Structure formats: C-alpha cells, structure tokens
Amino acid sequence: QPYPRFGVKLIKIYNESSLLLKMIRIYLIGILILVSAIAANLVAAKWHLKTWYDLLQGLSNSHMYIKQLTFFDYLWLFLLYPLILGGGAVLGNFIYQKLAP
C-alpha cells in the first residue's frame, strides 16, 4: 500500500507549489500596480492634476472642495488613473505568464 501514500504526497507537493506560484503571481501584480501608481502620481503632479490623496485631503477640510475640480481632474481620477493601474496589473500578469508558463 505505499502507492496511495505516494499519491497523497504528490498531491500535497503539487498543492503547495501551486499555492506558492499563486502567491508569487499576486505579489508580482501588486508590485507592478504600485510602480504604475507611483508613475501615475508623478504624471499627475507634473500636469497639476488632483490625485486621490488631494481629493480626500481637500474633502476632509471642506465639502466645497469638489467644486474646485476641473473636467481634467475628473477625467484623470475616474478614467485615466484606474486604466493606468489596471494596465499595471495586466503587465504584471503578462510578465508572470512569461516567467512561469
């Protein structure tokens, strides 16, 4: 009866390595999202656009702060910034798939 034990060990090793690969994938995607967020915040500062930090800080000081936002601030916060972060996630997943097919 050593075969069932051997099979159980193989399944356990497979599950542990599968979990490790999933963790590495999530970590890599997280790192790429972080890097893309840093880059996006640098772009926002250079173009004088509001960041989420600016928005939340302004709203905590005054509820009228929302009236200070321009069309480009809204475009940046609700369309471009999420697209950039999503692009970072896609890039992280792409890199993972190339490294660990």
Side-chain angles (χ1 to χ4, degrees):
Q1 296 185 357
Y3 295 112
R5 288 184 187 167
F6 180 71
V8 170
K9 285 183 181 181
L10 280 181
I11 291 172
K12 185 176 179 184
I13 290 170
Y14 173 76
N15 286 339
E16 289 173 357
S17 65
S18 177
L19 177 62
L20 178 64
L21 288 175
K22 287 178 186 177
M23 290 173 62
I24 291 170
R25 177 178 171 263
I26 291 169
Y27 178 75
L28 184 62
I29 290 171
I31 291 293
L32 266 291
I33 291 173
L34 176 63
V35 168
S36 64
I38 292 169
N41 284 326
L42 290 173
V43 168
K46 186 163 181 75
W47 291 348
H48 304 288
L49 297 169
K50 302 287 189 270
T51 63
W52 284 104
Y53 178 78
D54 297 331
L55 177 64
L56 295 175
Q57 192 73 13
L59 288 175
S60 70
N61 294 331
S62 168
H63 293 296
M64 301 305 285
Y65 183 80
I66 200 97
K67 292 185 178 185
Q68 296 178 14
L69 298 178
T70 66
F71 170 76
F72 294 110
D73 291 325
Y74 284 109
L75 185 69
W76 173 256
L77 289 171
F78 294 101
L79 182 67
L80 298 176
Y81 189 75
L83 283 173
I84 290 170
L85 296 185
V90 169
L91 181 61
N93 192 48
F94 177 78
I95 291 171
Y96 171 80
Q97 288 177 347
K98 291 298 178 186
L99 293 177

